[in-house]
């Protein structure tokens, strides 16, 4: 058997795991999920849709595309869907990718970027973070004639930091028009800093900006896999073309439409998470940790070579965090009980 050589060096995606303490307690704070189960109206939509799973789904995702277009006041043909925004990012890379093409992104950022770039056969250009945040000046400098795509993860996973209006504008001014800037806004709903621009505003101002969003986080549908891109027709069309036929299931489409209808209820839950985020960060600062300000549903602890030890320590309390060995740990904000369990573990970590 022969496989592509890139597979020998390609990183493997490591999903967040669940751990269980000796006393049976288990708190999963390793995947930035919503801690809340779906509202009854969404569950009912899923139940109804499930009765038709003997049929293929609507390959064009018509109703959901329409619902998203209406919700954000964008043209229907500016929306492209995929099974999770990670796959939409992959579709985007597939759409621009051929040998020699470069994609620029910050590092550390979303773990899937290097993997997807390798899969698409394009060259990754990683620009180190500065003070845990995107160094947009250095990213602008990293753009070459071979660059077709730049990912800006805003807020950044795993550090939670967000790029602000003026620095983003200065950056976008420097990006040639034929280079696509994909603002990955998986955590947009958790942003409270008013100086962090809504990507959709930038998409309206700049034809080369596309926005990636997901139903996995604030909308609580991580298990169903629905994400989307909003961008100019040309970009949305390209992303739609490379989607695997029927990739977004009928159940997922129906659930996402119902989630948009239940938006007020879901956004009220986001508000709870934002309040918990403040409580968790303040408590960590009180314990003497350095925690960068976060606009997402997680916090970042720079632990360096003690990262693995910290994750193992938390696991003994039943708390699963996401370690990036040698760098730090990302900890999702859960419900109050989960967060308390984590804060106890953090307080008792020998320092
Ligand atoms: N972008 C970022 C920055 C993420 O953190 C994630 C999920 N971890 C995704 C995209 C992908 O989310 P999904 O595929 O579930 O939509």
């Amino acid at each position: 058997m022969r496989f592509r050589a890139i597979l020998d060096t390609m990183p493997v995606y490591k999903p967040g795991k669940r751990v269980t303490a000796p006393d049976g307690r288990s708190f999963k704070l390793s995947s930035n999920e919503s801690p809340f189960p779906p509202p009854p109206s969404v569950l009912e939509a899923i139940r109804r849709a499930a009765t038709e799973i003997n049929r293929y789904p609507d390959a064009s995702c018509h109703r959901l595309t329409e619902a998203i277009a209406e919700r954000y006041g964008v043209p229907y043909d500016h929306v492209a869907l995929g099974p999770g925004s990670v796959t939409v990012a992959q579709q985007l890379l597939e759409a621009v990718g051929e040998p020699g093409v470069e994609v620029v992104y910050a590092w550390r950022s979303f773990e899937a970027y290097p993997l997807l770039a390798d899969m698409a056969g394009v060259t990754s250009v990683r620009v180190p973070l500065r003070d845990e945040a995107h160094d947009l000046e250095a990213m602008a400098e990293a753009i070459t004639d071979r660059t077709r795509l730049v990912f800006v993860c805003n807020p950044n996973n795993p550090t939670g930091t967000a790029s602000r209006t003026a620095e983003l504008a200065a950056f976008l001014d420097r990006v040639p028009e034929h280079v696509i800037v994909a603002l990955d806004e998986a955590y947009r709903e958790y942003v409270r800093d008013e100086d962090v621009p809504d990507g959709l505003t930038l998409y309206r101002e700049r034809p080369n900006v596309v926005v990636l969003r997901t139903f996995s986080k604030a909308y609580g549908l991580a298990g169903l896999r629905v994400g989307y891109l909003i961008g100019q027709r040309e970009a949305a069309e390209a992303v739609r073309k490379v989607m695997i036929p029927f990739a977004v299931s009928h159940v997922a489409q129906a659930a996402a439409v119902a989630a948009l209808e239940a938006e007020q209820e879901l956004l009220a839950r986001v508000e709870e998470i934002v309040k918990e985020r403040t409580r968790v960060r303040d408590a960590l600062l009180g314990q003497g940790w350095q925690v960068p300000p976060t606009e997402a549903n997680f916090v970042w602890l720079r632990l360096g070579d003690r990262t693995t030890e910290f994750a193992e320590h938390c696991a003994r309390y039943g708390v699963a965090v996401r370690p990036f060995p040698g760098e730090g740990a990302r900890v999702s904000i859960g419900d109050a009980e989960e967060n308390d369990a984590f804060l106890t573990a953090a307080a008792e970590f020998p320092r």
Side-chain angles (χ1 to χ4, degrees):
M1 288 184 276
R2 291 184 65 188
F3 299 99
R4 288 166 60 194
I6 191 84
L7 294 190
D8 295 338
T9 53
M10 207 166 97
V12 175
Y13 188 82
K14 295 188 200 78
K17 291 196 188 94
R18 182 176 279 287
V19 294
T20 307
D23 65 4
R25 301 200 311 161
S26 178
F27 308 101
K28 185 164 179 264
L29 298 179
S30 51
S31 298
N32 303 339
E33 295 148 333
S34 164
F36 307 108
S41 62
V42 174
L43 282 176
E44 176 53 25
I46 290 170
R47 201 193 58 75
R48 255 184 285 125
T51 62
E52 288 176 49
I53 55 173
N54 53 313
R55 303 287 176 196
Y56 282 104
D58 170 12
S60 70
C61 305
H62 173 69
R63 259 191 79 207
L64 179 55
T65 306
E66 199 171 57
I68 292 168
E70 206 168 283
R71 164 67 182 82
Y72 294 107
V74 303
Y76 181 94
D77 59 4
H78 284 211
V79 180
L81 280 140
S85 61
V86 67
T87 314
V88 179
Q90 181 195 13
Q91 290 166 215
L92 193 53
L93 278 158
E94 296 285 351
V96 300
E98 51 202 347
V101 166
E102 292 176 357
V103 54
V104 174
Y105 53 85
W107 199 251
R108 171 162 294 275
S109 188
F110 181 31
E111 243 194 309
Y113 298 149
L115 178 77
L116 302 178
D118 282 358
M119 278 157 60
V122 305
T123 304
S124 283
V125 177
R126 299 177 182 194
V127 179
L129 297 175
R130 198 177 55 193
D131 298 333
E132 321 288 6
H134 277 56
D135 183 348
L136 289 171
E137 273 180 41
M139 287 178 73
E141 273 151 32
I143 293 171
T144 71
D145 291 346
R146 298 176 295 280
T147 311
R148 287 196 188 164
L149 177 63
V150 182
F151 283 112
V152 176
C153 189
N154 206 31
N156 188 46
N157 172 8
T159 55
T161 50
S163 303
R164 299 212 166 77
T165 306
E167 53 174 335
L168 270 167
F171 166 73
L172 291 169
D173 283 345
R174 292 181 62 186
V175 180
E177 271 199 14
H178 64 272
V179 174
I180 300 170
V181 177
L183 295 175
D184 186 341
E185 293 193 329
Y187 303 98
R188 173 64 209 172
E189 294 80 5
Y190 301 96
V191 173
R192 290 296 174 272
D193 180 342
E194 285 177 9
D195 198 20
V196 175
D198 184 325
L200 293 176
T201 307
L202 301 174
Y203 135 84
R204 288 189 174 94
E205 293 167 357
R206 317 230 181 198
N208 58 336
V209 169
V210 303
V211 175
L212 303 180
R213 298 241 176 129
T214 180
F215 282 90
S216 296
K217 311 292 177 184
Y219 292 82
L221 297 178
L224 279 177
R225 319 301 305 125
V226 194
Y228 58 97
L229 169 144
I230 294 178
Q232 295 305 307
R233 184 169 50 81
E234 205 184 345
E237 228 170 58
V239 167
R240 234 180 276 127
K241 261 191 179 169
V242 298
M243 182 174 100
I244 306 286
F246 308 117
V248 184
S249 80
H250 177 56
V251 175
Q253 292 181 42
V257 170
L260 281 175
E261 282 164 6
E263 192 169 45
Q264 289 319 313
E265 198 175 342
L266 291 164
L267 294 184
R269 294 167 165 197
V270 167
E271 208 47 56
E272 277 182 50
I273 295 293
V274 169
K275 284 203 189 102
E276 279 293 296
R277 171 176 83 192
T278 306
R279 183 175 78 87
V280 168
R281 181 161 181 266
D282 288 351
L284 289 170
L285 294 174
Q287 291 178 13
W289 294 94
Q290 286 191 348
V291 190
T294 171
E295 294 294 324
N297 64 342
F298 49 84
V299 289
W300 172 248
L301 299 178
R302 180 156 286 283
L303 290 144
D305 56 15
R306 297 197 70 194
T307 301
T308 305
E309 186 190 340
F310 180 79
E312 286 167 356
H313 167 84
C314 290
R316 287 195 284 278
Y317 294 72
V319 178
V321 303
R322 182 68 161 272
F324 296 93
E327 295 175 65
R330 190 195 68 200
V331 188
S332 310
I333 304 297
D335 63 24
E337 186 193 359
E338 293 170 316
N339 299 333
D340 283 343
F342 164 61
L343 288 172
T344 302
E348 292 173 6
F349 183 63
R351 279 183 289 160

Short mmCIF file of all heavy atoms in Angstrom, two decimals, residues 101-122:
data_model
loop_
_atom_site.label_atom_id
_atom_site.label_comp_id
_atom_site.label_asym_id
_atom_site.label_seq_id
_atom_site.Cartn_x
_atom_site.Cartn_y
_atom_site.Cartn_z
N VAL A 101 0.94 26.67 -2.90
CA VAL A 101 0.10 27.69 -2.27
C VAL A 101 0.39 27.74 -0.77
O VAL A 101 0.61 26.71 -0.13
CB VAL A 101 -1.40 27.39 -2.52
CG1 VAL A 101 -2.30 28.21 -1.61
CG2 VAL A 101 -1.74 27.65 -3.98
N GLU A 102 0.39 28.97 -0.21
CA GLU A 102 0.64 29.12 1.22
C GLU A 102 -0.60 29.61 1.96
O GLU A 102 -1.37 30.42 1.43
CB GLU A 102 1.78 30.13 1.45
CG GLU A 102 3.13 29.60 0.97
CD GLU A 102 4.25 30.61 1.08
OE1 GLU A 102 4.00 31.77 1.48
OE2 GLU A 102 5.40 30.25 0.74
N VAL A 103 -0.75 29.10 3.18
CA VAL A 103 -1.79 29.61 4.07
C VAL A 103 -1.10 30.10 5.33
O VAL A 103 -0.23 29.43 5.88
CB VAL A 103 -2.86 28.53 4.38
CG1 VAL A 103 -2.24 27.24 4.92
CG2 VAL A 103 -3.88 29.05 5.40
N VAL A 104 -1.47 31.31 5.73
CA VAL A 104 -0.84 31.94 6.89
C VAL A 104 -1.80 31.87 8.07
O VAL A 104 -3.01 32.13 7.92
CB VAL A 104 -0.52 33.43 6.57
CG1 VAL A 104 0.00 34.16 7.82
CG2 VAL A 104 0.50 33.53 5.43
N TYR A 105 -1.28 31.51 9.23
CA TYR A 105 -2.10 31.57 10.44
C TYR A 105 -1.20 31.75 11.65
O TYR A 105 0.00 31.50 11.59
CB TYR A 105 -3.01 30.32 10.59
CG TYR A 105 -2.29 29.00 10.50
CD1 TYR A 105 -1.68 28.43 11.61
CD2 TYR A 105 -2.21 28.32 9.28
CE1 TYR A 105 -1.03 27.22 11.51
CE2 TYR A 105 -1.56 27.10 9.17
CZ TYR A 105 -0.97 26.56 10.30
OH TYR A 105 -0.32 25.36 10.20
N ALA A 106 -1.81 32.20 12.74
CA ALA A 106 -1.05 32.40 13.97
C ALA A 106 -0.80 31.05 14.62
O ALA A 106 -1.53 30.08 14.38
CB ALA A 106 -1.84 33.29 14.92
N TRP A 107 0.22 31.00 15.45
CA TRP A 107 0.51 29.77 16.18
C TRP A 107 1.07 30.12 17.53
O TRP A 107 1.96 30.95 17.59
CB TRP A 107 1.48 28.89 15.39
CG TRP A 107 1.43 27.49 15.90
CD1 TRP A 107 2.39 26.83 16.62
CD2 TRP A 107 0.33 26.59 15.75
NE1 TRP A 107 1.95 25.57 16.92
CE2 TRP A 107 0.69 25.39 16.41
CE3 TRP A 107 -0.94 26.67 15.15
CZ2 TRP A 107 -0.17 24.29 16.48
CZ3 TRP A 107 -1.78 25.58 15.21
CH2 TRP A 107 -1.38 24.40 15.87
N ARG A 108 0.50 29.62 18.57
CA ARG A 108 -0.51 28.59 18.58
C ARG A 108 -1.90 29.13 18.34
O ARG A 108 -2.29 30.16 18.87
CB ARG A 108 -0.45 27.87 19.93
CG ARG A 108 -1.59 26.93 20.15
CD ARG A 108 -1.35 25.94 21.20
NE ARG A 108 -0.33 25.00 20.95
CZ ARG A 108 -0.49 23.85 20.25
NH1 ARG A 108 -1.64 23.56 19.72
NH2 ARG A 108 0.50 23.04 20.09
N SER A 109 -2.64 28.36 17.54
CA SER A 109 -4.04 28.70 17.32
C SER A 109 -4.80 27.39 17.19
O SER A 109 -4.34 26.36 17.72
CB SER A 109 -4.16 29.59 16.09
OG SER A 109 -5.47 30.10 15.96
N PHE A 110 -5.92 27.41 16.50
CA PHE A 110 -6.76 26.21 16.41
C PHE A 110 -5.94 25.06 15.82
O PHE A 110 -5.38 25.17 14.73
CB PHE A 110 -7.99 26.52 15.55
CG PHE A 110 -8.97 25.39 15.41
CD1 PHE A 110 -9.14 24.44 16.41
CD2 PHE A 110 -9.73 25.29 14.26
CE1 PHE A 110 -10.05 23.41 16.27
CE2 PHE A 110 -10.65 24.26 14.10
CZ PHE A 110 -10.80 23.32 15.11
N GLU A 111 -5.92 23.99 16.59
CA GLU A 111 -5.09 22.82 16.28
C GLU A 111 -5.33 22.23 14.90
O GLU A 111 -4.45 21.55 14.35
CB GLU A 111 -5.46 21.74 17.29
CG GLU A 111 -4.37 21.33 18.19
CD GLU A 111 -4.75 20.04 18.90
OE1 GLU A 111 -5.85 20.00 19.48
OE2 GLU A 111 -3.96 19.10 18.85
N ALA A 112 -6.52 22.42 14.37
CA ALA A 112 -6.85 21.79 13.08
C ALA A 112 -6.19 22.48 11.89
O ALA A 112 -6.03 21.86 10.83
CB ALA A 112 -8.37 21.76 12.89
N TYR A 113 -5.79 23.75 12.03
CA TYR A 113 -5.28 24.46 10.84
C TYR A 113 -4.12 23.72 10.16
O TYR A 113 -4.17 23.50 8.94
CB TYR A 113 -4.87 25.90 11.15
CG TYR A 113 -5.97 26.83 11.64
CD1 TYR A 113 -5.69 27.86 12.51
CD2 TYR A 113 -7.29 26.68 11.21
CE1 TYR A 113 -6.68 28.72 12.97
CE2 TYR A 113 -8.29 27.54 11.68
CZ TYR A 113 -7.97 28.55 12.55
OH TYR A 113 -8.95 29.39 13.00
N PRO A 114 -3.06 23.34 10.92
CA PRO A 114 -1.94 22.66 10.24
C PRO A 114 -2.35 21.34 9.61
O PRO A 114 -1.88 20.99 8.51
CB PRO A 114 -0.91 22.44 11.35
CG PRO A 114 -1.58 22.77 12.62
CD PRO A 114 -2.76 23.59 12.35
N LEU A 115 -3.23 20.66 10.29
CA LEU A 115 -3.71 19.37 9.80
C LEU A 115 -4.48 19.53 8.48
O LEU A 115 -4.23 18.82 7.49
CB LEU A 115 -4.63 18.83 10.91
CG LEU A 115 -5.35 17.54 10.77
CD1 LEU A 115 -4.34 16.43 10.99
CD2 LEU A 115 -6.43 17.44 11.85
N LEU A 116 -5.36 20.50 8.46
CA LEU A 116 -6.18 20.73 7.26
C LEU A 116 -5.30 21.21 6.10
O LEU A 116 -5.53 20.85 4.94
CB LEU A 116 -7.28 21.77 7.54
CG LEU A 116 -8.25 21.46 8.67
CD1 LEU A 116 -9.23 22.61 8.86
CD2 LEU A 116 -9.01 20.17 8.40
N ALA A 117 -4.30 22.04 6.44
CA ALA A 117 -3.39 22.54 5.40
C ALA A 117 -2.63 21.38 4.78
O ALA A 117 -2.52 21.28 3.55
CB ALA A 117 -2.43 23.57 6.00
N ASP A 118 -2.15 20.48 5.63
CA ASP A 118 -1.44 19.31 5.11
C ASP A 118 -2.37 18.47 4.24
O ASP A 118 -1.98 17.99 3.17
CB ASP A 118 -0.92 18.44 6.27
CG ASP A 118 0.34 19.01 6.92
OD1 ASP A 118 0.82 20.05 6.44
OD2 ASP A 118 0.82 18.42 7.89
N MET A 119 -3.59 18.28 4.71
CA MET A 119 -4.54 17.47 3.94
C MET A 119 -4.81 18.07 2.57
O MET A 119 -4.96 17.35 1.58
CB MET A 119 -5.87 17.34 4.71
CG MET A 119 -5.83 16.26 5.77
SD MET A 119 -7.06 16.48 7.10
CE MET A 119 -8.57 16.44 6.22
N ALA A 120 -4.86 19.40 2.52
CA ALA A 120 -5.15 20.06 1.24
C ALA A 120 -3.90 20.21 0.38
O ALA A 120 -3.98 20.70 -0.75
CB ALA A 120 -5.77 21.44 1.51
N GLY A 121 -2.73 19.84 0.93
CA GLY A 121 -1.50 19.92 0.15
C GLY A 121 -0.97 21.34 -0.01
O GLY A 121 -0.26 21.63 -0.96
N VAL A 122 -1.31 22.21 0.95
CA VAL A 122 -0.77 23.57 0.89
C VAL A 122 0.27 23.76 2.00
O VAL A 122 0.31 22.99 2.96
CB VAL A 122 -1.87 24.66 0.99
CG1 VAL A 122 -2.93 24.44 -0.07
CG2 VAL A 122 -2.51 24.68 2.36
#
